[in-house]
Amino acid sequence: MGKAAYSSVETPAVLVDLDIAERNIIRFQAYCDEHGLKLRPHIKTHKLPRLARFQIEKGAVGITCQKLSEADAMTDGTGIDDVLITYNLVGEAKQERLKALAGKIKLRVVADSAAVVEGLSAAMNGSGHKLTVLIECDTGARRCGVATPEAAAELAGRIASSPNLHFGGLMTYPPVGGTEAVQEFMTKAKSLIEAFGTPVETITSGGSPDMWRAHEAPVVTEYRPGTYVYNDRSLVERGICGFDDCALHVLATVVSVPDAHRAIIDAGSKVLTSDLLGLTGYGHVVGRPDIAVDNLSEEHGRLVSREPVGFKVGDRVRIVPNHACVVANMLDAVVLTRGEDVLGPEPVVARGKVW
Amino acid sequence: MGKAAYSSVETPAVLVDLDIAERNIIRFQAYCDEHGLKLRPHIKTHKLPRLARFQIEKGAVGITCQKLSEADAMTDGTGIDDVLITYNLVGEAKQERLKALAGKIKLRVVADSAAVVEGLSAAMNGSGHKLTVLIECDTGARRCGVATPEAAAELAGRIASSPNLHFGGLMTYPPVGGTEAVQEFMTKAKSLIEAFGTPVETITSGGSPDMWRAHEAPVVTEYRPGTYVYNDRSLVERGICGFDDCALHVLATVVSVPDAHRAIIDAGSKVLTSDLLGLTGYGHVVGRPDIAVDNLSEEHGRLVSREPVGFKVGDRVRIVPNHACVVANMLDAVVLTRGEDVLGPEPVVARGKVW
């Protein structure tokens, strides 16, 4: 299909340019290969088995998911069978689903407390095999994670001595700029744990903002970026990529031009989301750096400029959103393209999977 | 089902207490009845035919939708057949769908420019009947809408003289605190239009924040609140309702308690969204006014307090979100309850309908 099909795409739409996404995947795989890092991309950004398979074909060792339901969706009939879930799985319902999934694929999970470890061990009762568990470490993000290398070592001992579990290593999601802190924390934790004779097989870190600095924490063996596949305005503003590297765009139609300096588009927070990630405004209008997306309601986006906006009702605009991952979660399907060619809609099979 | 079933609800979940929602509906219907106002609730908040039917049973004259696809979902086999779409419908694909829907139900739409009016007229070519069009007026929100009563009068003439269209009146979505501005704008526009011999059948306004002041703009004949059915933290903070009037809660599980003053729950921006609506923090933890939901990532919510949080892994919390409408759009189903009784999941049939 060519340009004619493109103009018929209904708006608002989330467009994904496969040429750009594949280029982004290949480029960071090359970086990981050069530095001897295993790459285990987080699928939270694209949520598409098709792109996960491409990542694995190019050299990724498997995928990262945040929730069991994402792992189910990404492995069910897709040929993908190696998943790390970087999330504390808590509660009986999740224990049952964990046990079922662990019987089907190569699955590893994380824990950051004795309570979570006990739950994982209980989940595997009667399964006949051991679940590999990594310890989540807080290297500065102040989200989940054990707070010190000493606490990591203590929890490693607990995992290693659990009959149903196997200690698999250390995991962190560092804050932006946290590469040095990762190196320091992980080096000390590894040393403490190995002093007890327990090998630390994997040390896994993540985050697209610092992905080009991953090699500066050489203790890390595996990296889990998510956003790098699409990129977004937040990464452009951080200097990680350019707008030409952004594979995901929101296509919108101008529905009102109330005055010369304001236009309203049919994409609001139900597509662009309210994520700011520290930025001002809700996205970048391609080709129009003078315009700010200064206000969103659910179905309206407001474009304002000191210059005349120059749009008329029916014009279409492309917007690079602040945060690609959350935008990919808003609609049931994205529209795949290659440059100006429209390939068609692709169901976002792992959309809305929060369990 | 009773409490046993309640504890087995998987988290994160969006709970809707029908007792509270129905009480909210009945209360505002009584207000409208008392003041001679027609009530046409906006379904953007609940997106559930079940609650729309309840609203109509109690006296609502029909429903309001923002998009054609919402109207399709809300009327297809539901028995609901009277819809106002308060959105400029632009483009050929939407014109075709508009024509099809106008042949099935009592449908009215809006326009705020000659370009939109021309598109609506073109859509109805060959349909054999006239589409009723109201004019959207900007009474201060600076989103869509004609800017002055004079511009409204000019556009009314254009609609009234279009062979495929019928002029149906005036519509506005005012800013918070805009009741007086609505009265002033609409009185003048009505007078100008009626001076040409064209009746202004309907003057419709909306917005839950000022719903208890609707009678202070007596020129308005119809009101379109959405959020009032569920209420939310933003309306509590504005003094419109209490937390006991909030029908929608997010149920979440504590997955980590990294220190005494911090807990992490399994509901992040994929459930609570990043909507702030001018507030600080991302929700109100029921029964714990000392706690702030100070940070969200997609699957993690961070609870912090100067007091000890006192939670352990596996505890459940209920959160009143900042903005109920956007939360109802995040998951495929909500869980209906009546107090402590769980009725079960209800598909959110108009979720994600942005076309």
PDB file of all heavy atoms in Angstrom, chain A residues 296-331:
ATOM      1  N   LEU A 296      -4.412  19.206  27.388  1.00  0.00           N
ATOM      2  CA  LEU A 296      -5.151  18.036  26.912  1.00  0.00           C
ATOM      3  C   LEU A 296      -6.402  17.859  27.751  1.00  0.00           C
ATOM      4  O   LEU A 296      -6.365  18.001  28.965  1.00  0.00           O
ATOM      5  CB  LEU A 296      -4.312  16.753  27.073  1.00  0.00           C
ATOM      6  CG  LEU A 296      -3.006  16.599  26.320  1.00  0.00           C
ATOM      7  CD1 LEU A 296      -2.412  15.216  26.638  1.00  0.00           C
ATOM      8  CD2 LEU A 296      -3.191  16.761  24.820  1.00  0.00           C
ATOM      9  N   SER A 297      -7.515  17.542  27.111  1.00  0.00           N
ATOM     10  CA  SER A 297      -8.599  16.868  27.827  1.00  0.00           C
ATOM     11  C   SER A 297      -8.716  15.499  27.175  1.00  0.00           C
ATOM     12  O   SER A 297      -7.876  15.121  26.365  1.00  0.00           O
ATOM     13  CB  SER A 297      -9.880  17.694  27.825  1.00  0.00           C
ATOM     14  OG  SER A 297     -10.112  18.286  26.588  1.00  0.00           O
ATOM     15  N   GLU A 298      -9.718  14.720  27.545  1.00  0.00           N
ATOM     16  CA  GLU A 298      -9.678  13.333  27.078  1.00  0.00           C
ATOM     17  C   GLU A 298      -9.601  13.214  25.556  1.00  0.00           C
ATOM     18  O   GLU A 298      -8.883  12.368  25.028  1.00  0.00           O
ATOM     19  CB  GLU A 298     -10.899  12.559  27.600  1.00  0.00           C
ATOM     20  CG  GLU A 298     -10.726  12.090  29.027  1.00  0.00           C
ATOM     21  CD  GLU A 298     -11.756  12.692  29.953  1.00  0.00           C
ATOM     22  OE1 GLU A 298     -11.633  13.909  30.242  1.00  0.00           O
ATOM     23  OE2 GLU A 298     -12.670  11.969  30.386  1.00  0.00           O
ATOM     24  N   GLU A 299     -10.373  14.021  24.840  1.00  0.00           N
ATOM     25  CA  GLU A 299     -10.441  13.853  23.380  1.00  0.00           C
ATOM     26  C   GLU A 299      -9.935  15.069  22.613  1.00  0.00           C
ATOM     27  O   GLU A 299     -10.034  15.099  21.396  1.00  0.00           O
ATOM     28  CB  GLU A 299     -11.895  13.556  22.963  1.00  0.00           C
ATOM     29  CG  GLU A 299     -12.519  12.351  23.638  1.00  0.00           C
ATOM     30  CD  GLU A 299     -12.002  11.016  23.128  1.00  0.00           C
ATOM     31  OE1 GLU A 299     -11.063  10.983  22.316  1.00  0.00           O
ATOM     32  OE2 GLU A 299     -12.560   9.990  23.579  1.00  0.00           O
ATOM     33  N   HIS A 300      -9.462  16.084  23.306  1.00  0.00           N
ATOM     34  CA  HIS A 300      -8.974  17.300  22.660  1.00  0.00           C
ATOM     35  C   HIS A 300      -7.523  17.543  23.049  1.00  0.00           C
ATOM     36  O   HIS A 300      -7.162  17.432  24.222  1.00  0.00           O
ATOM     37  CB  HIS A 300      -9.749  18.538  23.118  1.00  0.00           C
ATOM     38  CG  HIS A 300     -11.222  18.540  22.820  1.00  0.00           C
ATOM     39  ND1 HIS A 300     -12.137  17.894  23.609  1.00  0.00           N
ATOM     40  CD2 HIS A 300     -11.940  19.134  21.834  1.00  0.00           C
ATOM     41  CE1 HIS A 300     -13.365  18.099  23.117  1.00  0.00           C
ATOM     42  NE2 HIS A 300     -13.272  18.841  22.050  1.00  0.00           N
ATOM     43  N   GLY A 301      -6.737  17.925  22.049  1.00  0.00           N
ATOM     44  CA  GLY A 301      -5.394  18.440  22.315  1.00  0.00           C
ATOM     45  C   GLY A 301      -5.325  19.861  21.788  1.00  0.00           C
ATOM     46  O   GLY A 301      -5.823  20.156  20.701  1.00  0.00           O
ATOM     47  N   ARG A 302      -4.744  20.759  22.582  1.00  0.00           N
ATOM     48  CA  ARG A 302      -4.680  22.152  22.163  1.00  0.00           C
ATOM     49  C   ARG A 302      -3.265  22.503  21.721  1.00  0.00           C
ATOM     50  O   ARG A 302      -2.310  22.314  22.477  1.00  0.00           O
ATOM     51  CB  ARG A 302      -5.108  23.067  23.315  1.00  0.00           C
ATOM     52  CG  ARG A 302      -5.151  24.542  22.910  1.00  0.00           C
ATOM     53  CD  ARG A 302      -5.876  25.397  23.918  1.00  0.00           C
ATOM     54  NE  ARG A 302      -5.124  25.521  25.157  1.00  0.00           N
ATOM     55  CZ  ARG A 302      -5.577  26.146  26.245  1.00  0.00           C
ATOM     56  NH1 ARG A 302      -6.792  26.683  26.240  1.00  0.00           N
ATOM     57  NH2 ARG A 302      -4.844  26.225  27.332  1.00  0.00           N
ATOM     58  N   LEU A 303      -3.151  22.997  20.487  1.00  0.00           N
ATOM     59  CA  LEU A 303      -1.865  23.444  19.945  1.00  0.00           C
ATOM     60  C   LEU A 303      -1.852  24.963  19.944  1.00  0.00           C
ATOM     61  O   LEU A 303      -2.784  25.592  19.434  1.00  0.00           O
ATOM     62  CB  LEU A 303      -1.684  22.954  18.499  1.00  0.00           C
ATOM     63  CG  LEU A 303      -1.988  21.487  18.186  1.00  0.00           C
ATOM     64  CD1 LEU A 303      -1.595  21.171  16.734  1.00  0.00           C
ATOM     65  CD2 LEU A 303      -1.252  20.549  19.137  1.00  0.00           C
ATOM     66  N   VAL A 304      -0.810  25.545  20.517  1.00  0.00           N
ATOM     67  CA  VAL A 304      -0.706  27.004  20.530  1.00  0.00           C
ATOM     68  C   VAL A 304       0.690  27.419  20.070  1.00  0.00           C
ATOM     69  O   VAL A 304       1.660  26.670  20.219  1.00  0.00           O
ATOM     70  CB  VAL A 304      -0.968  27.594  21.941  1.00  0.00           C
ATOM     71  CG1 VAL A 304      -2.401  27.339  22.380  1.00  0.00           C
ATOM     72  CG2 VAL A 304       0.014  27.029  22.962  1.00  0.00           C
ATOM     73  N   SER A 305       0.756  28.603  19.502  1.00  0.00           N
ATOM     74  CA  SER A 305       2.041  29.130  19.032  1.00  0.00           C
ATOM     75  C   SER A 305       1.990  30.648  19.023  1.00  0.00           C
ATOM     76  O   SER A 305       0.928  31.243  18.843  1.00  0.00           O
ATOM     77  CB  SER A 305       2.335  28.618  17.617  1.00  0.00           C
ATOM     78  OG  SER A 305       3.536  29.205  17.134  1.00  0.00           O
ATOM     79  N   ARG A 306       3.142  31.270  19.211  1.00  0.00           N
ATOM     80  CA  ARG A 306       3.215  32.720  19.029  1.00  0.00           C
ATOM     81  C   ARG A 306       3.124  33.080  17.546  1.00  0.00           C
ATOM     82  O   ARG A 306       2.733  34.177  17.191  1.00  0.00           O
ATOM     83  CB  ARG A 306       4.528  33.263  19.611  1.00  0.00           C
ATOM     84  CG  ARG A 306       4.543  33.195  21.122  1.00  0.00           C
ATOM     85  CD  ARG A 306       5.822  33.783  21.683  1.00  0.00           C
ATOM     86  NE  ARG A 306       5.880  33.569  23.122  1.00  0.00           N
ATOM     87  CZ  ARG A 306       6.853  33.989  23.902  1.00  0.00           C
ATOM     88  NH1 ARG A 306       7.865  34.662  23.391  1.00  0.00           N
ATOM     89  NH2 ARG A 306       6.831  33.753  25.201  1.00  0.00           N
ATOM     90  N   GLU A 307       3.544  32.118  16.705  1.00  0.00           N
ATOM     91  CA  GLU A 307       3.375  32.296  15.260  1.00  0.00           C
ATOM     92  C   GLU A 307       1.940  31.923  14.896  1.00  0.00           C
ATOM     93  O   GLU A 307       1.277  31.198  15.640  1.00  0.00           O
ATOM     94  CB  GLU A 307       4.326  31.345  14.496  1.00  0.00           C
ATOM     95  CG  GLU A 307       5.769  31.413  14.919  1.00  0.00           C
ATOM     96  CD  GLU A 307       6.369  32.773  14.638  1.00  0.00           C
ATOM     97  OE1 GLU A 307       6.088  33.321  13.559  1.00  0.00           O
ATOM     98  OE2 GLU A 307       7.086  33.296  15.517  1.00  0.00           O
ATOM     99  N   PRO A 308       1.462  32.361  13.744  1.00  0.00           N
ATOM    100  CA  PRO A 308       0.174  31.822  13.279  1.00  0.00           C
ATOM    101  C   PRO A 308       0.299  30.303  13.088  1.00  0.00           C
ATOM    102  O   PRO A 308       1.289  29.832  12.513  1.00  0.00           O
ATOM    103  CB  PRO A 308      -0.036  32.533  11.931  1.00  0.00           C
ATOM    104  CG  PRO A 308       0.829  33.747  11.986  1.00  0.00           C
ATOM    105  CD  PRO A 308       2.018  33.371  12.835  1.00  0.00           C
ATOM    106  N   VAL A 309      -0.673  29.533  13.605  1.00  0.00           N
ATOM    107  CA  VAL A 309      -0.546  28.073  13.477  1.00  0.00           C
ATOM    108  C   VAL A 309      -0.697  27.645  12.025  1.00  0.00           C
ATOM    109  O   VAL A 309      -0.105  26.655  11.599  1.00  0.00           O
ATOM    110  CB  VAL A 309      -1.535  27.311  14.378  1.00  0.00           C
ATOM    111  CG1 VAL A 309      -1.176  27.488  15.840  1.00  0.00           C
ATOM    112  CG2 VAL A 309      -2.972  27.697  14.104  1.00  0.00           C
ATOM    113  N   GLY A 310      -1.481  28.381  11.247  1.00  0.00           N
ATOM    114  CA  GLY A 310      -1.543  28.113   9.807  1.00  0.00           C
ATOM    115  C   GLY A 310      -2.290  26.848   9.429  1.00  0.00           C
ATOM    116  O   GLY A 310      -2.197  26.404   8.284  1.00  0.00           O
ATOM    117  N   PHE A 311      -3.013  26.232  10.355  1.00  0.00           N
ATOM    118  CA  PHE A 311      -3.762  25.017  10.033  1.00  0.00           C
ATOM    119  C   PHE A 311      -5.190  25.357   9.640  1.00  0.00           C
ATOM    120  O   PHE A 311      -5.728  26.396  10.044  1.00  0.00           O
ATOM    121  CB  PHE A 311      -3.812  24.071  11.238  1.00  0.00           C
ATOM    122  CG  PHE A 311      -2.485  23.477  11.610  1.00  0.00           C
ATOM    123  CD1 PHE A 311      -2.012  23.553  12.917  1.00  0.00           C
ATOM    124  CD2 PHE A 311      -1.706  22.821  10.660  1.00  0.00           C
ATOM    125  CE1 PHE A 311      -0.790  22.996  13.272  1.00  0.00           C
ATOM    126  CE2 PHE A 311      -0.486  22.266  11.003  1.00  0.00           C
ATOM    127  CZ  PHE A 311      -0.027  22.351  12.316  1.00  0.00           C
ATOM    128  N   LYS A 312      -5.813  24.461   8.896  1.00  0.00           N
ATOM    129  CA  LYS A 312      -7.249  24.560   8.664  1.00  0.00           C
ATOM    130  C   LYS A 312      -7.902  23.252   9.108  1.00  0.00           C
ATOM    131  O   LYS A 312      -7.218  22.215   9.250  1.00  0.00           O
ATOM    132  CB  LYS A 312      -7.563  24.873   7.204  1.00  0.00           C
ATOM    133  CG  LYS A 312      -7.106  23.826   6.214  1.00  0.00           C
ATOM    134  CD  LYS A 312      -7.420  24.277   4.783  1.00  0.00           C
ATOM    135  CE  LYS A 312      -7.202  23.126   3.795  1.00  0.00           C
ATOM    136  NZ  LYS A 312      -5.843  22.560   3.832  1.00  0.00           N
ATOM    137  N   VAL A 313      -9.207  23.306   9.358  1.00  0.00           N
ATOM    138  CA  VAL A 313      -9.940  22.113   9.787  1.00  0.00           C
ATOM    139  C   VAL A 313      -9.740  21.001   8.758  1.00  0.00           C
ATOM    140  O   VAL A 313      -9.879  21.232   7.554  1.00  0.00           O
ATOM    141  CB  VAL A 313     -11.443  22.437   9.959  1.00  0.00           C
ATOM    142  CG1 VAL A 313     -12.255  21.164  10.152  1.00  0.00           C
ATOM    143  CG2 VAL A 313     -11.637  23.379  11.136  1.00  0.00           C
ATOM    144  N   GLY A 314      -9.387  19.806   9.240  1.00  0.00           N
ATOM    145  CA  GLY A 314      -9.148  18.672   8.355  1.00  0.00           C
ATOM    146  C   GLY A 314      -7.677  18.388   8.118  1.00  0.00           C
ATOM    147  O   GLY A 314      -7.321  17.289   7.680  1.00  0.00           O
ATOM    148  N   ASP A 315      -6.797  19.345   8.390  1.00  0.00           N
ATOM    149  CA  ASP A 315      -5.359  19.088   8.275  1.00  0.00           C
ATOM    150  C   ASP A 315      -4.946  18.002   9.266  1.00  0.00           C
ATOM    151  O   ASP A 315      -5.555  17.841  10.330  1.00  0.00           O
ATOM    152  CB  ASP A 315      -4.550  20.363   8.563  1.00  0.00           C
ATOM    153  CG  ASP A 315      -4.579  21.349   7.404  1.00  0.00           C
ATOM    154  OD1 ASP A 315      -5.062  20.988   6.315  1.00  0.00           O
ATOM    155  OD2 ASP A 315      -4.121  22.497   7.606  1.00  0.00           O
ATOM    156  N   ARG A 316      -3.891  17.299   8.905  1.00  0.00           N
ATOM    157  CA  ARG A 316      -3.387  16.265   9.808  1.00  0.00           C
ATOM    158  C   ARG A 316      -2.023  16.639  10.345  1.00  0.00           C
ATOM    159  O   ARG A 316      -1.209  17.246   9.630  1.00  0.00           O
ATOM    160  CB  ARG A 316      -3.294  14.929   9.073  1.00  0.00           C
ATOM    161  CG  ARG A 316      -4.679  14.389   8.765  1.00  0.00           C
ATOM    162  CD  ARG A 316      -4.595  13.077   8.021  1.00  0.00           C
ATOM    163  NE  ARG A 316      -5.871  12.388   8.106  1.00  0.00           N
ATOM    164  CZ  ARG A 316      -6.024  11.081   8.053  1.00  0.00           C
ATOM    165  NH1 ARG A 316      -4.971  10.288   7.920  1.00  0.00           N
ATOM    166  NH2 ARG A 316      -7.213  10.537   8.143  1.00  0.00           N
ATOM    167  N   VAL A 317      -1.775  16.281  11.585  1.00  0.00           N
ATOM    168  CA  VAL A 317      -0.465  16.532  12.197  1.00  0.00           C
ATOM    169  C   VAL A 317       0.044  15.234  12.815  1.00  0.00           C
ATOM    170  O   VAL A 317      -0.729  14.351  13.176  1.00  0.00           O
ATOM    171  CB  VAL A 317      -0.532  17.625  13.292  1.00  0.00           C
ATOM    172  CG1 VAL A 317      -0.921  18.964  12.697  1.00  0.00           C
ATOM    173  CG2 VAL A 317      -1.485  17.240  14.406  1.00  0.00           C
ATOM    174  N   ARG A 318       1.360  15.150  12.890  1.00  0.00           N
ATOM    175  CA  ARG A 318       2.009  14.032  13.578  1.00  0.00           C
ATOM    176  C   ARG A 318       2.639  14.567  14.852  1.00  0.00           C
ATOM    177  O   ARG A 318       3.273  15.624  14.822  1.00  0.00           O
ATOM    178  CB  ARG A 318       3.126  13.440  12.723  1.00  0.00           C
ATOM    179  CG  ARG A 318       2.674  12.563  11.586  1.00  0.00           C
ATOM    180  CD  ARG A 318       3.889  12.318  10.694  1.00  0.00           C
ATOM    181  NE  ARG A 318       3.637  11.343   9.675  1.00  0.00           N
ATOM    182  CZ  ARG A 318       3.943  10.038   9.793  1.00  0.00           C
ATOM    183  NH1 ARG A 318       4.530   9.590  10.890  1.00  0.00           N
ATOM    184  NH2 ARG A 318       3.694   9.207   8.804  1.00  0.00           N
ATOM    185  N   ILE A 319       2.494  13.811  15.914  1.00  0.00           N
ATOM    186  CA  ILE A 319       3.044  14.242  17.194  1.00  0.00           C
ATOM    187  C   ILE A 319       3.934  13.144  17.756  1.00  0.00           C
ATOM    188  O   ILE A 319       3.548  11.970  17.794  1.00  0.00           O
ATOM    189  CB  ILE A 319       1.911  14.571  18.181  1.00  0.00           C
ATOM    190  CG1 ILE A 319       1.125  15.773  17.640  1.00  0.00           C
ATOM    191  CG2 ILE A 319       2.453  14.857  19.577  1.00  0.00           C
ATOM    192  CD1 ILE A 319      -0.062  16.142  18.462  1.00  0.00           C
ATOM    193  N   VAL A 320       5.129  13.518  18.178  1.00  0.00           N
ATOM    194  CA  VAL A 320       5.993  12.612  18.938  1.00  0.00           C
ATOM    195  C   VAL A 320       5.628  12.794  20.404  1.00  0.00           C
ATOM    196  O   VAL A 320       5.794  13.884  20.959  1.00  0.00           O
ATOM    197  CB  VAL A 320       7.484  12.921  18.721  1.00  0.00           C
ATOM    198  CG1 VAL A 320       8.352  11.985  19.564  1.00  0.00           C
ATOM    199  CG2 VAL A 320       7.845  12.806  17.241  1.00  0.00           C
ATOM    200  N   PRO A 321       5.090  11.749  21.041  1.00  0.00           N
ATOM    201  CA  PRO A 321       4.640  11.918  22.427  1.00  0.00           C
ATOM    202  C   PRO A 321       5.812  11.988  23.392  1.00  0.00           C
ATOM    203  O   PRO A 321       6.921  11.555  23.091  1.00  0.00           O
ATOM    204  CB  PRO A 321       3.802  10.665  22.673  1.00  0.00           C
ATOM    205  CG  PRO A 321       4.371   9.634  21.764  1.00  0.00           C
ATOM    206  CD  PRO A 321       4.856  10.384  20.529  1.00  0.00           C
ATOM    207  N   ASN A 322       5.516  12.511  24.585  1.00  0.00           N
ATOM    208  CA  ASN A 322       6.535  12.556  25.637  1.00  0.00           C
ATOM    209  C   ASN A 322       7.052  11.167  25.976  1.00  0.00           C
ATOM    210  O   ASN A 322       8.231  10.966  26.192  1.00  0.00           O
ATOM    211  CB  ASN A 322       5.943  13.162  26.917  1.00  0.00           C
ATOM    212  CG  ASN A 322       5.652  14.639  26.784  1.00  0.00           C
ATOM    213  OD1 ASN A 322       6.087  15.292  25.843  1.00  0.00           O
ATOM    214  ND2 ASN A 322       4.896  15.183  27.740  1.00  0.00           N
ATOM    215  N   HIS A 323       6.142  10.185  26.047  1.00  0.00           N
ATOM    216  CA  HIS A 323       6.462   8.866  26.597  1.00  0.00           C
ATOM    217  C   HIS A 323       5.788   7.803  25.731  1.00  0.00           C
ATOM    218  O   HIS A 323       4.568   7.637  25.783  1.00  0.00           O
ATOM    219  CB  HIS A 323       5.947   8.808  28.049  1.00  0.00           C
ATOM    220  CG  HIS A 323       6.407   7.600  28.799  1.00  0.00           C
ATOM    221  ND1 HIS A 323       5.984   7.319  30.074  1.00  0.00           N
ATOM    222  CD2 HIS A 323       7.251   6.595  28.458  1.00  0.00           C
ATOM    223  CE1 HIS A 323       6.542   6.190  30.482  1.00  0.00           C
ATOM    224  NE2 HIS A 323       7.317   5.739  29.530  1.00  0.00           N
ATOM    225  N   ALA A 324       6.582   7.118  24.943  1.00  0.00           N
ATOM    226  CA  ALA A 324       6.024   6.173  23.967  1.00  0.00           C
ATOM    227  C   ALA A 324       5.318   4.992  24.632  1.00  0.00           C
ATOM    228  O   ALA A 324       4.294   4.510  24.138  1.00  0.00           O
ATOM    229  CB  ALA A 324       7.140   5.658  23.054  1.00  0.00           C
ATOM    230  N   CYS A 325       5.849   4.496  25.754  1.00  0.00           N
ATOM    231  CA  CYS A 325       5.337   3.259  26.352  1.00  0.00           C
ATOM    232  C   CYS A 325       3.869   3.395  26.741  1.00  0.00           C
ATOM    233  O   CYS A 325       3.064   2.496  26.502  1.00  0.00           O
ATOM    234  CB  CYS A 325       6.144   2.890  27.595  1.00  0.00           C
ATOM    235  SG  CYS A 325       7.926   3.010  27.376  1.00  0.00           S
ATOM    236  N   VAL A 326       3.524   4.504  27.361  1.00  0.00           N
ATOM    237  CA  VAL A 326       2.147   4.663  27.842  1.00  0.00           C
ATOM    238  C   VAL A 326       1.200   4.925  26.679  1.00  0.00           C
ATOM    239  O   VAL A 326       0.025   4.529  26.730  1.00  0.00           O
ATOM    240  CB  VAL A 326       2.053   5.776  28.902  1.00  0.00           C
ATOM    241  CG1 VAL A 326       2.773   5.341  30.166  1.00  0.00           C
ATOM    242  CG2 VAL A 326       2.626   7.090  28.400  1.00  0.00           C
ATOM    243  N   VAL A 327       1.678   5.563  25.618  1.00  0.00           N
ATOM    244  CA  VAL A 327       0.825   5.792  24.443  1.00  0.00           C
ATOM    245  C   VAL A 327       0.494   4.461  23.761  1.00  0.00           C
ATOM    246  O   VAL A 327      -0.644   4.231  23.348  1.00  0.00           O
ATOM    247  CB  VAL A 327       1.505   6.770  23.465  1.00  0.00           C
ATOM    248  CG1 VAL A 327       0.715   6.885  22.166  1.00  0.00           C
ATOM    249  CG2 VAL A 327       1.658   8.138  24.122  1.00  0.00           C
ATOM    250  N   ALA A 328       1.488   3.573  23.692  1.00  0.00           N
ATOM    251  CA  ALA A 328       1.251   2.262  23.070  1.00  0.00           C
ATOM    252  C   ALA A 328       0.216   1.449  23.839  1.00  0.00           C
ATOM    253  O   ALA A 328      -0.327   0.476  23.317  1.00  0.00           O
ATOM    254  CB  ALA A 328       2.562   1.486  22.975  1.00  0.00           C
ATOM    255  N   ASN A 329      -0.061   1.830  25.074  1.00  0.00           N
ATOM    256  CA  ASN A 329      -1.033   1.112  25.909  1.00  0.00           C
ATOM    257  C   ASN A 329      -2.462   1.628  25.754  1.00  0.00           C
ATOM    258  O   ASN A 329      -3.387   1.074  26.336  1.00  0.00           O
ATOM    259  CB  ASN A 329      -0.615   1.232  27.380  1.00  0.00           C
ATOM    260  CG  ASN A 329      -1.463   0.379  28.312  1.00  0.00           C
ATOM    261  OD1 ASN A 329      -1.606  -0.822  28.088  1.00  0.00           O
ATOM    262  ND2 ASN A 329      -2.031   0.983  29.334  1.00  0.00           N
ATOM    263  N   MET A 330      -2.664   2.701  25.000  1.00  0.00           N
ATOM    264  CA  MET A 330      -3.980   3.354  25.024  1.00  0.00           C
ATOM    265  C   MET A 330      -4.974   2.808  24.012  1.00  0.00           C
ATOM    266  O   MET A 330      -6.177   2.878  24.234  1.00  0.00           O
ATOM    267  CB  MET A 330      -3.818   4.869  24.832  1.00  0.00           C
ATOM    268  CG  MET A 330      -3.004   5.543  25.944  1.00  0.00           C
ATOM    269  SD  MET A 330      -3.580   5.194  27.632  1.00  0.00           S
ATOM    270  CE  MET A 330      -5.069   6.189  27.701  1.00  0.00           C
ATOM    271  N   LEU A 331      -4.499   2.302  22.880  1.00  0.00           N
ATOM    272  CA  LEU A 331      -5.419   1.829  21.839  1.00  0.00           C
ATOM    273  C   LEU A 331      -5.240   0.331  21.608  1.00  0.00           C
ATOM    274  O   LEU A 331      -4.176  -0.223  21.855  1.00  0.00           O
ATOM    275  CB  LEU A 331      -5.182   2.597  20.531  1.00  0.00           C
ATOM    276  CG  LEU A 331      -5.362   4.121  20.615  1.00  0.00           C
ATOM    277  CD1 LEU A 331      -5.200   4.747  19.230  1.00  0.00           C
ATOM    278  CD2 LEU A 331      -6.710   4.496  21.209  1.00  0.00           C
TER     279      LEU A 331
END
